[in-house]
Amino acid sequence: DALARWMGQSPGPVEKTATEWLALAGKRWRPALAAGVWAALTQTDAHVLPQTIQKTAVAVECFHKASLIHDDIEDGDDFRYGQKTLHAQMGVPIALNIGDYLIGLGYQLLAELEVDAAVRSAMLSAAAQGHRVLCLGQGAELDWMHHRHPLSRQDVLRIFEQKTSPAFEVALKLGAIPAGADHGLLETLTQFSRYIGQAYQIRDDILDWMSAEPGSDTQASRLSIVKAMALEKAVGPDRDKLMD
């Protein structure tokens, strides 16, 4: 009901589809992080959140769900949450538009927050910076997919960091900034997000590698720290085989 109110009284097909995508399955870690860090810093019951933090958490989920829509298109994935991805259901043009709409809605929700102008500006800046860095990381991976070449483990970690850490950093900072976090704490959250993002991707990489058939397209086409580490240790024919 809250989502419907924020989307407008008479939603059209775009708003309806975007609302359904927001309400879809998912762990909701990122909005929970935003709400949780605010509650921790203000020593407030996390079950009683003011509308400002509710809207902030929804904005965080808007950004996340939009990134998933775009990521599924870029990776050619047809399933998420046990069902067809949005572009597999409705086509790439509609999915791109819904993703773009959710990004715009996220920024609109932040811009409408009833907070001091300096706080609102800092929150918008944190979101925009995270959005930009995430695109740089995703772009680096897409570039590698078009121009395959061996990467060191540090190269892979750098891309993992850029494409995943910003989502955690934005969520934490959007909760911390309205709670009055100082520069030192914000820097700590940046460092924390960097390691969490890398660990998140490494875990996914290992699970994908273990579940894929040896020599499969999945192993060959995905950026992988497992493969990077194997390349660093391999010599002779084994290295040539891995590079292929």
Side-chain angles (χ1 to χ4, degrees):
D1 291 340
L3 286 177
R5 286 198 301 273
W6 291 331
M7 293 289 188
Q9 294 301 314
S10 302
V14 173
E15 295 97 323
K16 183 175 182 295
T17 302
T19 303
E20 290 172 351
W21 184 254
L22 276 177
L24 209 58
K27 296 182 284 293
R28 306 288 199 275
W29 277 118
R30 291 155 188 83
L33 284 172
V37 72
W38 180 87
L41 292 176
T42 59
Q43 298 183 2
T44 303
D45 184 353
H47 295 90
V48 185
L49 298 172
Q51 189 177 76
T52 293
I53 302 305
Q54 291 182 38
K55 291 179 77 170
T56 298
V58 173
V60 168
E61 186 69 355
C62 283
F63 295 143
H64 179 55
K65 283 294 200 290
S67 73
L68 295 184
I69 292 172
H70 292 161
D71 194 51
D72 286 340
I73 293 171
E74 291 166 347
D75 290 347
D77 290 333
D78 291 333
F79 289 91
R80 183 177 290 276
Y81 305 135
Q83 65 181 58
K84 284 189 174 182
T85 53
L86 191 58
H87 74 276
Q89 293 180 45
M90 297 184 169
V92 171
I94 289 177
L96 283 173
N97 189 59
I98 296 299
D100 291 344
Y101 175 81
L102 286 172
I103 292 171
L105 177 62
Y107 281 110
Q108 179 183 334
L109 290 172
L110 294 181
E112 292 174 350
L113 295 178
E114 295 181 359
V115 295
D116 290 343
V119 171
R120 187 185 305 109
S121 177
M123 294 174 74
L124 286 167
S125 178
Q129 173 69 1
H131 194 170
R132 187 185 71 84
V133 174
L134 185 149
C135 290
L136 290 175
Q138 188 71 1
E141 182 174 21
L142 292 170
D143 181 72
W144 175 83
M145 291 171 66
H146 283 84
H147 308 94
R148 300 289 178 84
H149 59 279
L151 295 175
S152 70
R153 75 180 76 180
Q154 291 304 319
D155 292 331
V156 175
L157 283 175
R158 193 175 302 109
I159 295 174
F160 280 177
E161 177 188 325
Q162 285 189 318
K163 67 174 286 186
T164 305
S165 300
F168 292 107
E169 183 176 353
V170 167
L172 289 166
K173 285 187 174 180
L174 290 187
I177 291 170
D182 59 22
H183 178 74
L185 177 55
L186 294 178
E187 282 297 306
T188 298
L189 293 177
T190 296
Q191 283 283 81
F192 175 77
S193 301
R194 179 174 297 132
Y195 299 132
I196 288 292
Q198 290 178 345
Y200 188 94
Q201 283 293 327
I202 290 170
R203 177 181 180 275
D204 273 2
D205 186 8
I206 293 172
L207 292 175
D208 286 346
W209 191 269
M210 292 175 64
S211 63
E213 291 292 330
S216 67
D217 289 342
T218 299
Q219 285 191 349
S221 63
R222 295 292 176 93
L223 194 68
S224 170
I225 194 167
V226 176
K227 188 170 182 177
M229 293 175 70
L231 272 170
E232 290 178 0
K233 294 180 178 295
V235 293
D238 289 338
R239 180 176 175 82
D240 295 336
K241 185 177 180 180
L242 281 169
M243 289 178 67
D244 292 338

